[in-house]
Amino acid sequence: KEPEATIVEKLKDVTSYEGEDAVFECRLSRETTQDAQWFLGDVPLQSNEMNEIRVQGTHHTLILRKVTLEDCGPISFKVGQHTSAA
């Protein structure tokens, strides 16, 4: 069983204006095959034309494209038992 990955660089709060992109970044202690998941409120986010989810090694990035007022709310990143929120 692989050792658990932990969040070493937590999410930071982001302020953006309507129509701009909002970028959230998180860094893990190690690369992992564990499911890592982004959420807006309680809604799990998928990579699509509105959201871009990138993974580069231990670096996880979420880009919310051209945000609207409906995108306002808590963003969280979960891996295993660990969560970071902004």
Side-chain angles (χ1 to χ4, degrees):
K1 186 169 163 32
E2 66 176 321
E4 198 172 41
T6 58
I7 299 170
V8 292
E9 199 174 297
K10 294 195 176 289
L11 294 176
K12 293 175 181 60
D13 289 337
V14 171
T15 302
S16 54
Y17 294 97
E18 227 175 338
E20 292 182 346
D21 291 352
V23 180
F24 297 88
E25 296 178 304
C26 208
R27 192 178 300 273
L28 301 181
S29 57
R30 54 187 227 67
E31 290 187 44
T32 180
T33 56
Q34 277 181 286
D35 285 342
Q37 179 69 61
W38 291 94
F39 293 87
L40 173 56
D42 296 329
V43 180
L45 298 175
Q46 306 294 328
S47 214
N48 57 33
E49 67 278 352
M50 298 304 295
N51 314 311
E52 185 179 338
I53 296 172
R54 291 187 196 152
V55 181
Q56 294 168 310
T58 60
H59 196 180
H60 292 251
T61 306
L62 168 68
I63 303 166
L64 299 179
R65 302 218 175 275
K66 297 184 177 59
V67 295
T68 65
L69 290 174
E70 288 79 53
D71 296 318
C72 189
I75 292 286
S76 57
F77 176 80
K78 294 180 183 165
V79 61
Q81 299 299 306
H82 304 278
T83 304
S84 179

